């Protein structure tokens, strides 16, 4: 084959490749998404990155993190980097003195834990978003640079978030913040960390109680990977495939990636199927007309050492006992129609409500996991923008 032949062959092969890829992307776009062209572009990028990541992993490399974008400018905020008992944080303080939410001269405060599956993300990457939330809610927001898995597995990321939150509760006055008006919030893995910190601080009676928890498409359990939303995610997803979510859980737990297959058919919790833990992740809570399963008290509630944190509520908050849920602060939960984690959020909201907690469940049927990252120019989706505004409004009104 001459040079011309090779070039022609390569061109045709790439054209076919692109056509197949495009057809695949269109056919797997979830029904119900709005602005399909933009979602198509996002999904194209994500699939390409997944593919490169997969090749990278097959070649035996570990986690590679991309360099974060530069810091946004925040004309109406005073932004300072600090260390809270050894944990790096960035504090965003609205300059406008007369905010609707200031009590006397004191302001409300919010701890912010970024998403990224406990593995990715940083305070730089969520800088724009946190700035907008501080500005719109009028609260002093503390964004936490918790250490990441797999280098730092559970409980390190959780403990970093807890340490920073305790520090802020103790030193609120130094930031002009009323310590009785501090909440915790986060997206995805950050929602997991916020829920875990709220559960842990409930047991702390020397500090003022948290004012609220705001959980944006949170990851709350690693017990059942066959909830309806996980099952639907095998066919329809934009940013987060079920295997990617299980991989994130495993990196946070023990970094033994050979567990993915076992997780995907729930082999890791087969022995606990009649335990009380199974009744905490019950489809009954999704509003389906199935009665809540009754656990068999004789069933063992143990897992092997390398898996046992799956039952730890600071690792998976849905594993908390009903008694641990009651008395939690006011709660805001965001769920998206296209998200393997949708049912985690709905079940937690339902269980909290049954435990007597004030809960608002905000549903975005046309949204997908991660959509709140697309909330501002130059590239945004209406549903992402709306979600961020609704969150800021809730924070402004409830902190
Ligand atoms: C948010 O920023 C706008 C300008 O972009 C400013 O007018 C407003 O006062 C700020 N809000 C708060 C609560 O700081
Ligand atoms: C990883 O998990 C597999 C499956 O449970 C197990 O056989 C193997 O021993 C584990 N590897 C390590 C290093 O723990």
């Amino acid at each position: 084959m001459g040079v011309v032949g090779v070039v022609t062959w390569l061109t045709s092969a790439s054209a076919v490749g692109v056509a197949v890829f495009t057809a695949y992307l269109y056919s797997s776009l979830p029904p119900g998404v709005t602005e399909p062209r933009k979602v198509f572009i996002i999904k194209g990028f994500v699939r390409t990155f997944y593919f490169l990541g997969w090749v990278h992993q097959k070649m035996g490399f570990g986690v590679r993190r991309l360099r974060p974008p530069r810091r946004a400018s925040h004309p109406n905020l005073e932004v300072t980097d600090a260390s809270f008992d050894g944990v790096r944080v960035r504090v965003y303080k609205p300059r406008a003195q007369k905010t609707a939410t200031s009590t006397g001269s004191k302001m409300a405060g919010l701890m912010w834990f970024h998403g990224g599956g406990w593995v990715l993300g940083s305070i730089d990457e969520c800088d724009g978003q946190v700035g907008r939330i501080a500005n719109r809610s009028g609260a002093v927001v503390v964004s936490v640079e918790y250490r990441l898995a797999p280098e730092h597995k559970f409980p390190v990321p959780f403990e970093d978030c807890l340490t920073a939150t305790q520090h802020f509760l103790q030193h609120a006055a130094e930031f002009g913040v009323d310590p009785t008006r501090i909440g915790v919030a986060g997206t995805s893995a950050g929602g997991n960390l916020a829920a875990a910190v709220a559960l842990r601080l409930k047991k702390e009676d020397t500090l003022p109680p948290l004012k609220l928890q705001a959980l944006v498409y949170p990851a709350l359990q690693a017990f059942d990977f066959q909830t309806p939303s996980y099952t639907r995610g095998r066919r329809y997803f934009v940013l987060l495939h079920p295997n990617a979510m299980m991989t994130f859980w495993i990196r946070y737990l023990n970094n033994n990636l050979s567990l993915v297959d076992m997780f995907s058919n729930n082999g890791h919790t087969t022995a606990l199927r009649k335990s009380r833990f199974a009744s905490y992740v019950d489809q009954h809570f999704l509003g389906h007309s199935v009665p809540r399963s009754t656990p068999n008290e004789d069933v063992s509630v143990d897992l092997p050492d390398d898996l046992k944190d799956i039952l730890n509520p600071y690792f998976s908050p849905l594993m908390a006992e009903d008694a641990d849920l009651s008395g939690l602060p006011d709660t805001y939960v965001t769920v998206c129609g296209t998200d393997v984690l949708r049912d985690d959020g709905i079940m937690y909201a339902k269980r909290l409500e049954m435990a007597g907690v004030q809960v608002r469940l905000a549903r975005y049927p046309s949204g997908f996991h991660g959509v709140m990252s697309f909330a501002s120019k130059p590239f945004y989706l209406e549903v992402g923008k709306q979600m961020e505004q609704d969150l800021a409004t809730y924070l402004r009104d409830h902190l």
Side-chain angles (χ1 to χ4, degrees):
M1 208 165 18
V3 172
V4 173
V6 171
V7 170
T8 312
W9 187 87
L10 281 179
T11 312
S12 328
S14 335
V16 169
V18 168
V20 168
F21 187 54
T22 309
Y24 155 74
L25 285 181
Y26 260 118
S27 69
S28 62
L29 273 192
V33 293
T34 43
E35 302 178 88
R37 235 170 273 149
K38 285 186 183 171
V39 176
F40 179 79
I41 293 169
I42 294 169
K43 185 153 181 180
F45 272 106
V46 169
R47 286 318 290 172
T48 309
F49 273 110
Y50 268 24
F51 177 69
L52 296 176
W54 176 80
V55 171
H56 189 79
Q57 196 180 306
K58 290 289 157 198
M59 287 167 71
F61 296 110
V63 171
R64 172 76 59 89
R65 301 183 178 93
L66 297 175
R67 235 188 13 202
R70 258 185 306 152
R71 204 164 128 171
S73 73
H74 304 288
N76 296 293
L77 302 168
E78 197 183 302
V79 181
T80 33
D81 285 354
S83 165
F84 281 7
D85 290 322
V87 181
R88 282 186 58 208
V89 299
R90 185 168 296 162
V91 184
Y92 301 75
K93 185 170 184 178
R95 285 187 206 277
Q97 283 307 305
K98 288 213 181 324
T99 61
T101 56
S102 55
T103 40
S105 57
K106 291 270 170 69
M107 302 174 89
L110 182 73
M111 300 300 296
W112 184 267
F113 311 128
H114 67 76
W118 308 276
V119 172
L120 307 170
S122 66
I123 57 177
D124 281 325
E125 266 169 73
C126 64
D127 182 72
Q129 179 162 66
V130 174
R132 289 191 298 277
I133 287 169
N135 174 261
R136 293 219 184 91
S137 67
V140 176
V141 183
V142 178
S143 182
V144 180
E145 194 80 289
Y146 56 86
R147 285 169 290 172
L148 298 172
E151 295 88 340
H152 303 283
K153 296 190 265 284
F154 178 80
V156 175
F158 160 68
E159 283 175 351
D160 282 355
C161 293
L162 181 65
T163 301
T165 308
Q166 287 168 324
H167 181 100
F168 194 47
L169 285 163
Q170 283 157 354
H171 296 85
E174 295 163 26
F175 297 89
V177 168
D178 175 351
T180 67
R181 295 176 60 211
I182 291 178
V184 289
T187 56
S188 191
N192 165 281
L193 294 166
V197 166
L199 281 166
R200 176 64 188 74
L201 285 178
K202 213 199 86 177
K203 297 188 188 289
E204 195 79 58
D205 41 20
T206 58
L207 291 170
L210 290 174
K211 189 74 190 287
L212 60 80
Q213 56 175 343
L215 318 176
V216 178
Y217 33 73
L220 298 169
Q221 57 92 20
F223 188 96
D224 182 359
F225 292 111
Q226 293 183 349
T227 61
S229 58
Y230 266 101
T231 304
R232 184 178 186 273
R234 303 218 151 263
R235 171 91 176 86
Y236 297 119
F237 71 99
V238 179
L239 279 183
L240 185 66
H241 189 272
N243 289 356
M245 190 61 231
M246 287 184 268
T247 303
F248 283 136
W249 275 115
I250 290 168
R251 295 232 189 251
Y252 188 36
L253 178 70
N254 61 21
N255 208 26
N256 182 350
L257 295 184
S258 63
L259 292 168
V260 171
D261 288 338
M262 193 202 265
F263 278 23
S264 59
N265 59 32
N266 280 342
H268 63 309
T269 49
T270 309
L272 303 189
R273 209 161 283 163
K274 295 253 181 284
S275 70
R276 69 173 193 278
F277 294 107
S279 76
Y280 297 158
V281 197
D282 192 312
Q283 296 201 11
H284 165 76
F285 301 122
L286 301 176
H288 302 186
S289 51
V290 288
R292 186 174 179 181
S293 60
T294 330
N296 177 348
E297 295 299 338
D298 298 334
V299 159
S300 134
V301 286
D302 257 347
L303 284 176
D305 275 356
D306 59 335
L307 297 179
K308 70 175 178 349
D309 284 328
I310 286 173
L311 306 177
N312 183 337
Y314 304 139
F315 181 80
S316 13
L318 255 172
M319 297 294 109
E321 315 285 332
D322 291 343
D324 291 330
L325 298 179
S326 78
L328 279 174
D330 288 5
T331 301
Y332 184 76
V333 183
T334 295
V335 295
C336 289
T338 299
D339 185 357
V340 296
L341 301 178
R342 179 196 65 194
D343 297 344
D344 285 22
I346 297 174
M347 289 194 250
Y348 202 52
K350 190 70 197 170
R351 285 194 60 208
L352 287 169
E353 207 174 86
M354 289 167 70
V357 175
Q358 278 292 323
V359 181
R360 183 174 313 167
L361 176 63
R363 292 178 186 252
Y364 297 85
S366 70
F368 54 86
H369 191 81
V371 74
M372 210 174 77
S373 304
F374 304 99
S376 79
K377 285 176 187 163
F379 188 88
Y380 68 90
L381 294 162
E382 287 300 335
V383 57
K385 205 168 131 189
Q386 189 64 48
M387 192 181 286
E388 192 184 88
Q389 279 171 6
D390 294 348
L391 171 67
T393 304
Y394 178 88
L395 295 170
R396 193 193 60 210
D397 295 346
H398 292 82
L399 271 175

